[in-house]
Amino acid sequence: RTQVSVFEALDALPSSLPVLLIWGMQDPWMRPARASAILTECAQRGIGCQLVEVEDAGHCPQDDAPSAVNEALVSWLEERVKGKVPA
């Protein structure tokens, strides 16, 4: 288990660094409300954060729904490479 909280990790990020938060909506340990709290915290800190909710995934969406996670990652990265969304 990590010794750093999400909010401590956010403290270390430059506000210009965009964040993609991929959340398994069936996660029994980290409920969806936690994702909303992180999204709100990012907004308050001026950190651009996009939340992708993966409905049929739990705590490890990359394992439970790899296609959905890959699609979200590729789409998010392509938007930035093409300049559609500022970093």
Side-chain angles (χ1 to χ4, degrees):
R1 182 175 171 137
T2 183
Q3 299 298 314
V4 177
S5 75
V6 171
F7 301 113
E8 290 170 327
L10 291 175
D11 287 340
L13 292 179
S15 62
S16 61
L17 183 67
V19 174
L20 177 62
L21 185 60
I22 300 176
W23 207 271
M25 299 306 284
Q26 305 306 315
D27 189 335
W29 297 287
M30 300 290 282
R31 299 286 183 196
R34 184 75 170 143
S36 296
I38 293 168
L39 195 62
T40 299
E41 185 69 22
C42 285
Q44 291 174 348
R45 293 169 180 247
I47 297 172
C49 182
Q50 179 182 340
L51 172 63
V52 173
E53 298 176 349
V54 183
E55 291 299 328
D56 296 327
H59 191 69
C60 298
Q62 70 279 7
D63 294 331
D64 298 338
S67 293
V69 170
N70 289 342
E71 183 179 316
L73 282 169
V74 168
S75 175
W76 187 78
L77 290 168
E78 283 179 343
E79 288 173 358
R80 275 137 193 87
V81 169
K82 292 178 183 175
K84 292 182 181 177
V85 178

